[in-house]
Amino acid sequence: MIEHAYDVVVVGCGIAGLSAAVSAAETGRRVAVLERSCIEERGGNTRWTEAFMRMKNENEVSDDFEEHFMQNAGWNLDPSLIAETGRPYADWSPIVKALSFTDPEVISTLAREAGPTLSWLRGAGIKFSDMATYLITSSTTRICPVGGGLALVEALATTAEKLGVDFHYETSARGLVRAEDGSVAGIMAQTGDGMRRFLGKVVLACGGFEGNSEMQARYYGAQARYIRPVARGGYYNRGEGIKMALEAGAAPCGDYTEYHAEPIDPRSGQSEPIVFVFPYGILVDRDGQRFVDEASGTVDTIYENIARLIGRLPGGTAYVICDARLDDVPNWQRTVRSDKKPFTADTLEGLALQLDIPPQKLAATVAAFNAATRPGTFKPLECDGLATEGISPPKSNWALPLAQGPFRAWPISSANCFTFGGLRCNANAQVVDHDGQPIANLYAAGETMGIYYGRYTGATSVLRGAVFGRIAGRHAVGVN
């Protein structure tokens, strides 16, 4: 069997893997990156995202950053265990160090290192901007790299190549190589000409399992049949990194029963064909019935839960119905990224027939909704409190009657942007075992590191990958 010896072996070529590779290679160490895709599609999910970051500016995270994470740290947590996290990390008991919850040490490290990491990325030629997003109502601040995730991938990959990092494309990790003392000694990987052994400290940055239908069905149940990755990069994420580490005794972290869901147009094959226009209309199932408050808050705070609910509907599909007054919403077109045109009709009956919804049921749903609307001032770019009365489910904002043709509709299904379940890591990105002890020479970053529960703290996934990828690469070569 062919062997390759390196100081650090990184599995994955997205923001987390590239950050790890570059930060390790900057010290002069020999580094390899193993990537399942061909070079033209390198970058995983990062390549296809706009890479929003929950920052006020290039140096400071948003005001609600740590608060939002800790509001979504897990469920029914034992207060006696959580109380231990107020002590220095060294004094935590083993069960707390291995506990499946959002670790405040990890989150405080993410917040503290976000600014320095963006400064480091600027050194690779990345520029940042607070350019407009597809979120025309928002609860927090965001910036993004100019050129999105693709710019991150190309800039860091170019830097890595200049530093002498070896890239092994169309190479898939299959299992950890263990030394006699139980430490990790490298990775077994499948290449086009057979299995190879890559020796060195290992950084697992190979994503979650949104590209693995078997794992999704195991963790999500029957609804998984309707869920697809939000972008092409997600199909490469098969969960092997998570599985091999769990088999080696790693503790799990992150909610294995949930994922970061986005509402998309299932007719479209382009990357992230989001449909975020639903707060200005109504959402109905295939039977023409409403099933959710379409506008309980700004769209960035509600779209994930709505997308998850849609994934649980019969057929995993809903429809957003809007009338001509959608055009009263400034820049509403930014909220739809599908390349497919909406269904349109001059009458609700004509629209229902196109959607294969019973016309009489859709008409009754719209009539009941219209009767529940109330006079008020419509303020499309802020929560306006223009709510329905006497109907369930309610609509809390932007509740205008649907009465003016032409009517428009888009189908919506739930897409898996990334999975929540991953590996328990400490603030050094070291994977820990069920006793809270680091597994020697094993690190994880990006989606492979589990930190999310409940609601996703939006615009933090790419940032998490950059911060902990950089930390993993530096720590693996002895730089703190």
Side-chain angles (χ1 to χ4, degrees):
M1 178 181 295
I2 298 175
E3 283 192 353
H4 304 269
Y6 293 94
D7 296 301
V8 179
V9 180
V10 178
V11 185
C13 192
I15 182 62
L18 289 170
S19 296
V22 171
S23 62
E26 285 175 331
T27 68
R29 305 309 206 279
R30 294 197 66 218
V31 179
V33 173
L34 313 185
E35 167 63 12
R36 165 175 266 132
S37 79
C38 58
I39 188 172
E40 292 80 10
E41 294 195 355
R42 67 183 178 186
N45 266 339
T46 309
R47 184 181 186 89
W48 307 92
T49 182
E50 289 178 287
F52 296 125
M53 298 179 179
R54 201 179 188 100
M55 307 283 290
K56 288 193 293 187
N57 51 57
E58 295 177 29
N59 300 305
E60 300 174 282
V61 297
S62 68
D63 290 334
D64 64 349
F65 192 93
E66 294 184 70
E67 177 186 6
H68 195 283
F69 267 109
M70 300 325 296
Q71 287 174 346
N72 293 278
W75 292 275
N76 299 329
L77 297 171
D78 186 327
S80 66
L81 298 181
I82 299 306
E84 290 190 38
T85 65
R87 305 203 298 262
Y89 182 80
D91 296 338
W92 293 11
S93 64
I95 54 175
V96 175
K97 290 181 177 179
L99 188 64
S100 181
F101 78 127
T102 302
D103 184 339
E105 291 287 310
V106 169
I107 301 309
S108 63
T109 299
L110 176 56
R112 184 179 64 251
E113 293 298 320
T117 299
L118 265 59
S119 178
W120 177 73
L121 290 172
R122 288 198 301 271
I126 298 296
K127 296 180 181 179
F128 295 91
S129 170
D130 58 355
M131 65 182 67
T133 77
Y134 47 69
L135 300 167
I136 62 175
T137 62
S138 181
S139 63
T140 191
T141 53
R142 293 173 173 84
I143 64 173
C144 66
V146 176
L150 179 59
L152 291 172
V153 169
E154 294 305 318
L156 286 174
T158 299
T159 300
E161 289 162 353
K162 291 178 180 177
L163 291 169
V165 173
D166 289 341
F167 285 81
H168 299 264
Y169 295 105
E170 299 180 66
T171 299
S172 300
R174 292 287 184 253
L176 295 171
V177 176
R178 306 296 293 275
E180 290 184 5
D181 63 0
S183 64
V184 170
I187 282 282
M188 293 291 295
Q190 179 73 50
T191 69
D193 56 0
M195 295 293 291
R196 295 192 180 191
R197 192 190 307 262
F198 294 83
L199 301 180
K201 295 182 180 179
V202 173
V203 179
L204 296 173
C206 43
F209 51 89
E210 58 269 24
N212 186 325
S213 60
E214 185 274 334
M215 288 184 72
Q216 287 196 100
R218 188 193 320 167
Y219 292 118
Y220 304 151
Q223 65 168 322
R225 70 185 63 160
Y226 303 124
I227 302 168
R228 78 184 201 205
V230 77
R232 187 178 180 90
Y235 289 94
Y236 289 106
N237 295 345
R238 306 286 174 76
E240 291 103 332
I242 294 170
K243 288 196 292 185
M244 68 179 70
L246 293 177
E247 290 168 358
C253 197
D255 186 355
Y256 277 79
T257 70
E258 283 295 4
Y259 60 101
H260 176 39
E262 289 193 354
I264 66 163
D265 185 340
R267 301 172 300 165
S268 176
Q270 69 178 27
S271 174
E272 204 171 12
I274 56 165
V275 181
F276 279 10
V277 74
F278 53 81
Y280 305 108
I282 62 170
L283 282 165
V284 299
D285 60 20
R286 296 193 304 180
D287 204 33
Q289 303 295 318
R290 290 179 65 238
F291 58 91
V292 69
D293 184 341
E294 301 89 349
S296 59
T298 54
V299 70
D300 65 323
T301 65
I302 63 174
Y303 75 81
E304 181 178 54
N305 184 56
I306 286 176
R308 289 174 181 169
L309 289 174
I310 290 171
R312 298 184 181 107
L313 293 175
T317 303
Y319 301 90
V320 54
I321 313 293
C322 300
D323 75 352
R325 293 195 64 178
L326 177 62
D327 292 325
D328 294 339
V329 180
N331 298 315
W332 70 262
Q333 294 84 355
R334 291 208 328 250
T335 71
V336 179
R337 293 289 181 87
S338 174
D339 57 347
K340 302 299 182 182
K341 294 182 179 180
F343 295 95
T344 60
D346 291 330
T347 65
L348 283 171
E349 180 181 12
L351 191 69
L353 291 172
Q354 291 184 60
L355 302 178
D356 199 25
I357 291 175
Q360 69 278 13
K361 291 188 177 180
L362 180 60
T365 293
V366 172
F369 174 80
N370 289 349
T373 60
R374 293 295 179 263
T377 302
F378 178 62
K379 300 177 182 178
L381 301 184
E382 60 184 271
C383 290
D384 60 6
L386 189 58
T388 57
E389 291 183 8
I391 193 172
S392 182
K395 186 176 181 184
S396 300
N397 293 283
W398 308 302
L400 295 176
L402 300 176
Q404 300 180 23
F407 297 92
R408 284 170 278 202
W410 287 265
I412 299 178
S413 66
S414 181
N416 191 338
C417 191
F418 58 84
T419 50
F420 281 5
L423 305 177
R424 182 73 164 91
C425 297
N426 62 24
N428 292 322
Q430 296 171 287
V431 178
V432 303
D433 63 20
H434 287 270
D435 295 311
Q437 294 297 313
I439 298 175
N441 303 330
L442 184 61
Y443 298 81
E447 294 176 22
T448 316
M449 168 195 265
I451 62 172
Y452 295 113
Y453 296 83
R455 289 189 302 143
Y456 167 53
T457 301
T460 59
S461 183
V462 171
L463 192 61
R464 163 188 61 161
V467 167
F468 286 106
R470 182 174 180 238
I471 287 173
R474 289 167 60 86
H475 195 275
V477 297
V479 178
N480 293 321

